[in-house]
């Protein structure tokens, strides 16, 4: 595949295999070894680079970023963050002055993340650096470095203008073109952010000879609104979803803040998260609790369905050969929606379980209930027995206690490295009580309770 992009300010044209990662190309072909290989699955941030397109600059993990995804973009590695004359970027100077590096293996990734944030004016340094792991320096001096550099001017060499390119055949520019392509190749692999597919290549060593990249398809990248709903195209990134939901559905947005890392959210898409059908994905429980509608297309045929009907069983979704997810529509208003992600590590961790509640109460009685969990079964799905035990009854501790026992009718959770079956079931019951307490005005978040 022919790929054209800027690399540290210089135009590069290469022929690349469809699933050749940027990290491998940088280290093996370009001779730029500053970018490190750590986990090779997008978790540690040692491989972080800065990528600029029409939406601006963002930090991405080079280890699961395929070369064709760079077509028409600009890339800066740690070698290109300092100036052409060797002048240090403010974040590099601040890391030196604040002793932010010891062994240095993770440092190039930190520098790339910090430089991208500095360019965008971000000062939420804990969130920005949640996807960069350091095992020897400790985060205090690194955060101090980020704070020290925050007010410094952006160096003039950091502003890249991506090259103007045509959309190649492997990256359809329209939904019509993509639908035709996939209809003719129903066994092909569609790649959006590659945060999941990337691991098929780097960890499972799978060969994916027939692929299409979705990042240039305008319809899939669009967000549209009506008076009552918002529609996310399947290729809208989780960063864009998070930004949109902050005011609309703050509890859902707070859960998404812990979804992966900045680098992962910058690449991962809402459609990809749904289409891979993971039983532990954090998006589906929230979307199901909202009553989201999923949109699909096969050739010229489109269909819509409640998202909860899409997940059939573990590893199987209601998606036909040559049919792709095109988007998801959710209501704008759901004041009772609360999302609880339970994981061993607060940031960037797979959920042991994720529970989302959307219960309507009128005149002291429950009139409607939508409760959905991930991590409790082979698919994310609703707790219908619990819902039925709530609807029509007083919104009270007694009702909640009785209804919580019905979780055992809805789910038969498994025991694995993240949690035991008993823990998952007990925690689900506890979360219903937590929801009642929160909706009654009690302080329930450990992040908000102060002494």
């Amino acid at each position: 595949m022919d790929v054209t992009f800027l690399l540290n300010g210089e135009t590069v044209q290469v022929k690349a295999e469809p699933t050749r990662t940027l990290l491998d190309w940088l280290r093996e072909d370009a001779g730029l070894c500053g970018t490190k290989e750590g986990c090779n699955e997008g978790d540690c941030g040692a491989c972080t680079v800065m990528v600029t397109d029409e939406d601006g600059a963002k930090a991405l993990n080079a280890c699961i970023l395929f070369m064709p995804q760079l077509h028409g973009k600009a890339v800066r590695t740690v070698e290109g963050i300092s100036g052409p004359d060797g002048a240090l970027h403010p974040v590099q100077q601040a890391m030196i002055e604040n002793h932010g590096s010891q062994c240095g293996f993770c440092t190039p990734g930190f520098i790339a993340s910090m430089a991208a944030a500095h360019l965008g004016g971000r000062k939420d340094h804990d969130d920005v650096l949640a996807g960069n792991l350091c095992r020897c320096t400790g985060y205090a001096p690194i955060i101090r470095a980020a704070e020290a550099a925050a007010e410094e001017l952006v160096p003039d060499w950091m502003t890249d203008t991506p090259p103007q390119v045509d959309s190649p055949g492997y990256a359809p520019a329209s939904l019509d073109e993509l639908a035709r392509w996939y209809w003719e190749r129903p066994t092909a692999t569609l790649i959006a952010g590659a945060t999941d597919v990337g691991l098929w290549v780097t960890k499972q060593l799978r060969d994916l000879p027939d692929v299409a990249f979705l990042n240039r398809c305008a319809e899939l990248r669009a967000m549209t609104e009506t008076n009552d709903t918002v529609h996310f195209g399947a290729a809208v990134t989780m960063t864009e979803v998070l930004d949109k939901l902050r005011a609309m559905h703050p509890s859902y947005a707070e859960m998404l803040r812990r979804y992966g890392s900045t680098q992962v959210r910058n690449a991962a898409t809402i459609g990809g998260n749904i289409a891979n059908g993971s039983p532990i994905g954090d998006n589906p429980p929230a979307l199901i609790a909202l009553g989201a509608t999923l949109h699909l297309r096969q050739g010229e045929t489109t269909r819509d369905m409640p998202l909860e009907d899409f997940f059939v069983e573990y590893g199987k979704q209601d998606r036909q050969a040559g049919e792709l997810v095109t988007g998801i529509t959710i209501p704008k208003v759901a004041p009772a929606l609360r999302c609880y992600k339970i994981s061993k590590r607060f940031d960037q961790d797979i959920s042991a379980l994720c529970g989302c509640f959307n219960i309507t109460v009128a005149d002291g009685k429950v009139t409607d209930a939508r409760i959905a969990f991930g991590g409790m079964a082979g698919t994310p799905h609703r707790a219908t027995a619990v819902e039925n035990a709530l609807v029509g009854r007083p919104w009270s501790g007694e009702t909640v206690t009785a209804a919580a026992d019905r979780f055992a009718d809805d789910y038969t959770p498994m025991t694995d490295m993240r949690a035991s079956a008993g823990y998952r079931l007990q925690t689900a019951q506890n979360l219903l009580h937590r929801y009642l307490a929160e909706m009654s005005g009690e302080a329930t978040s450990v992040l908000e309770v102060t002494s």
Side-chain angles (χ1 to χ4, degrees), residues 161-173:
T161 302
Q164 295 295 315
V165 296
D166 295 327
S167 290
Y170 60 77

Side-chain angles (χ1 to χ4, degrees), residues 81-163:
I81 290 175
S82 56
D85 60 354
L88 294 182
H89 187 286
V91 300
Q92 294 173 313
Q93 186 65 43
M95 283 284 275
I96 294 171
E97 293 174 355
N98 288 274
H99 310 289
S101 178
Q102 286 188 28
C103 81
F105 187 89
C106 69
T107 304
F110 272 97
I111 294 297
S113 289
M114 293 163 71
H118 182 263
L119 182 60
R122 292 186 63 175
K123 297 180 181 179
D124 52 336
H125 307 301
D126 287 347
D127 286 347
V128 165
L129 298 177
N132 292 84
L133 303 187
C134 177
R135 292 179 173 85
C136 50
T137 302
Y139 285 84
I142 298 173
I143 295 296
R144 285 197 291 269
E147 292 171 343
E151 302 304 326
E152 298 294 329
L153 295 177
V154 174
D156 55 10
W157 65 81
M158 289 298 292
T159 303
D160 287 320
T161 302

Side-chain angles (χ1 to χ4, degrees), residues 361 363-366 389-400 436:
V361 178
D363 297 326
K365 286 190 175 182
V366 178
L390 291 169
V391 174
R393 292 173 174 81
W395 184 229
S396 65
E398 292 78 6
T399 297
V400 164
L436 171 65

Side-chain angles (χ1 to χ4, degrees), residues 177-188:
E177 183 183 351
L178 173 62
R180 286 193 298 270
W181 187 95
Y182 197 36
W183 174 253
E184 295 168 356
R185 303 168 182 81
T187 61

Side-chain angles (χ1 to χ4, degrees), residues 335-421:
L337 177 70
R338 296 294 184 274
C339 301
Y340 305 118
K341 176 182 172 74
I342 306 300
S343 57
K344 290 185 176 180
R345 187 174 65 242
F346 183 82
D347 285 310
Q348 199 184 348
D349 198 7
I350 295 172
S351 294
L353 67 158
C354 178
C356 297
F357 301 79
N358 188 12
I359 297 175
T360 304
V361 178
D363 297 326
K365 286 190 175 182
V366 178
T367 58
D368 188 44
R370 298 186 66 90
I371 301 171
F373 272 82
M376 293 284 285
T379 64
H381 68 83
R382 290 175 69 176
T384 54
V386 176
E387 293 172 358
N388 291 336
L390 291 169
V391 174
R393 292 173 174 81
W395 184 229
S396 65
E398 292 78 6
T399 297
V400 164
T401 298
D405 290 337
R406 304 298 302 276
F407 274 112
D409 298 331
D410 286 312
Y411 304 110
T412 306
M414 66 181 292
T415 295
D416 59 20
M417 67 181 69
R418 282 181 286 277
S420 68

